[in-house]
Amino acid sequence: MVTSVEAEVSTNADTSAPGDSTERRPAPRYSLVVVAIALVVGLLAGYAGGWITPTLTRPGEGSPEVGFARDMSAHHAQAVEMGLIAFRNATDPDTQQIGIDIAAAQQGEIGTMQTWLRFWGVDTSGPQAPMAWMPDGAEAMRDRGNLMPGMATPEQMAALRAATGIQVDLLFIQLMRDHHLGGIHMADAIIDMTDDPEVIKVATTMKNTQQTEIANFNTLEKRLTS
Amino acid sequence: MSISTPGGNQRRPSVVSTGKKAPASKATADGKPATDDKSAASGGKTGTTTKTGPKTGAGRPGGGGKGGKGRKPIAPVKVSQGRAWGPIAMFVAVGVLAAGIIGYGAWAAFQGSKPWEERAADIPGITNFRESDPELVAGSQHTPEPVQYTVLPPVAGPHNASWQNCSGDVYDAPIANEHAVHSLEHGAIWITYRPDLPQDQVARLAERVQGTDKTFMSPFEGLDQPISLQAWGYQLKVDDAGDSRIDDFIGALRINASIEGPTALCAQGITATGNAPRNLGGGQ
């Protein structure tokens, strides 16, 4: 900045006419109209830039954020079902309470992630295989019959639906604990991979909540089996 | 740019110079008041009959940078005619008003766009336990036992597996801290008040709570101020139900303060009052 100003000053000194100082050159005057037009054009350019930038920088097809939002929605959906089964069929009120708590909270998070996908202008499902966004995603699914980490198998879900009495509580705790461990694994991955503050915030909340709930599962399980 | 002006006195206002001394009577020759603009506009064209030289970087007349030495100061054109002050005053007033409105709107938008943490921190008198005691507000284990909370009314910590119903519930008797803290974890605002708070003030508080999910209120024994508001990790004590900070507190922290996500339930909770936590599951 400073150097350019100095350069301009010296240029002015060089090109200014010496000698007859009474002879005056007219200063070219930029009319108000030109200034106004320049101002308007500048404002419009800035506005357009501000308008287009989010579109160009939002996560797109193939990004880890989109993969996470799609896969975690599917992952969460199973937890909602497990939680509602516990709320309805579990024997212990604490199990019922934690079941409905998880169902409501994770259904809400599904809503959040579906809204992201809509705002990012991508479909709610895509061409990628589940977990393709995660570095070790394919590995995590290989020996699980194409199920994401922590997901219960169809047989396990059938057993949970058919269970009665205290078996509902114990099976729910066992399945949901595994489910949470897989969810935390996925949340950790996206927290590492993204720099989107909203995604980081929501994934961090998921991770913290599920870790706390695992501790509460253990306490509850101890009480129910003692 | 004019930033390169060395002397600082090179920039002349564009409204005074006609290049020659114009007689003051000229302005009123045809009975119309000549505005500065007109004379300035004509000055640019008719005032100089010399050749136009090459444009310098700053487009200033020759001799620039020499402090205007050797040049006679040019007397400004005097306009003897009185101005029409009315319209001018009106336009100035409208302009000032418009600038004020736009400025306030921009300021309000900026304030409103602040993250909720900042808006909470801006509330005078608020206590932020997330800063002073991160340990307390981090995690939250369920326990069937009664809990001795160090901060009263409590703002965080271990709590009962069941939350207190917080869908705009107005409790008329004290409730168990162990349930209320679980509600705070879900993002609810808990308004507590001294049992001797006048009835009209209690009613003012109830107006804010009734029908508003993620809020609840109850009397609380032993408060050092008439009213105390709690969110997870935050507390604000006020003397009067009309205090505007109550709305600021609710606005910044309701749901936002949840550490379990924005849709953690307030329904399906404990609706009974009484200081002892209820272990529905028989955990003793």
Side-chain angles (χ1 to χ4, degrees), chain A residues 61-215:
Chain A
E61 195 61 66
S63 68
E65 292 87 354
V66 168
F68 171 79
R70 286 170 179 164
D71 288 353
M72 199 54 128
S73 291
H75 200 265
H76 269 31
Q78 191 183 56
V80 172
E81 185 175 9
M82 289 179 183
L84 289 174
I85 291 170
F87 182 58
R88 190 186 221 169
N89 298 346
T91 306
D92 191 275
D94 284 3
T95 317
Q96 295 173 355
Q97 197 80 343
I98 212 166
I100 193 63
D101 194 10
I102 288 170
Q106 298 216 2
Q107 189 65 43
E109 285 169 346
I110 290 171
T112 299
M113 294 184 286
Q114 295 300 302
T115 306
W116 290 348
L117 294 170
R118 199 165 63 238
F119 277 25
W120 295 340
V122 295
D123 292 335
T124 54
S125 56
Q128 280 88 11
M131 306 300 294
W133 57 275
M134 230 168 111
D136 57 346
E139 192 62 38
M141 296 183 55
R142 184 164 299 152
D143 51 357
R144 294 191 41 83
N146 211 36
L147 282 171
M148 285 184 250
M151 294 272 282
T153 64
E155 295 76 26
Q156 287 172 320
M157 288 303 288
L160 181 62
R161 288 190 199 100
T164 55
I166 196 74
Q167 285 311 312
V168 178
D169 303 61
L170 296 175
L171 189 54
F172 166 75
I173 290 170
Q174 180 202 316
L175 293 179
M176 191 61 99
R177 189 164 43 208
D178 286 352
H179 200 274
H180 274 14
L181 287 169
I184 291 167
H185 184 54
M186 290 162 73
D188 267 335
I190 196 64
I191 291 167
D192 281 347
M193 292 171 80
T194 188
D195 53 6
D196 184 311
E198 162 77 3
V199 174
I200 289 173
K201 190 185 119 207
V202 171
T204 305
T205 300
M206 286 178 191
K207 177 187 162 181
N208 295 345
T209 302
Q210 296 189 15
Q211 279 173 331
T212 303
E213 279 166 353
I214 287 175

Side-chain angles (χ1 to χ4, degrees), chain B residues 144-149 152-154 160 164 171 173-181 190 192 195 218-222 270 272-279:
Chain B
E145 310 296 332
V147 180
Q148 293 301 315
Y149 294 100
L152 288 174
N160 191 273
Q164 190 79 23
Y171 299 101
I175 55 177
N177 289 337
E178 294 80 357
H179 296 315
V181 169
W190 182 22
T192 53
S218 67
F220 196 96
E221 302 277 355
I270 301 276
T273 56
N275 283 316
R278 284 154 198 273
N279 290 301

Side-chain angles (χ1 to χ4, degrees), chain A residues 5 8-9 12 15-17 23-29 87 92-94 97 100-101 104-105 108 205 209 212 215-216 223, chain B residues 1 4 14 50-53 55-61 63 140-142 161-163 186 259-261 263 265 268 280-281 283:
Chain A
V5 170
E8 210 180 327
V9 170
N12 291 342
T15 54
S16 61
E23 185 190 59
R24 298 181 52 241
R25 290 194 212 100
R29 303 183 63 261
F87 182 58
D92 191 275
D94 284 3
Q97 197 80 343
I100 193 63
D101 194 10
T205 300
T209 302
T212 303
N216 290 329
R223 178 166 71 73
Chain B
M1 296 300 290
S4 63
S14 59
T50 52
K51 62 180 194 317
T52 50
K55 279 175 189 163
T56 58
R60 288 200 315 272
S140 46
Q141 302 300 301
H142 291 179
S162 299
W163 55 90
H186 283 207
I259 59 165
E260 208 183 289
T263 58
L265 275 182
Q268 295 293 331
L280 305 175

Side-chain angles (χ1 to χ4, degrees), chain A residues 21-24, chain B residues 12 17 19-21 67-76:
Chain A
S21 58
T22 53
E23 185 190 59
R24 298 181 52 241
Chain B
R12 281 185 235 89
S17 168
K20 42 186 170 186
K21 277 195 179 179
K69 226 192 295 175
R71 198 185 292 141
K72 289 201 198 83
I74 295 156

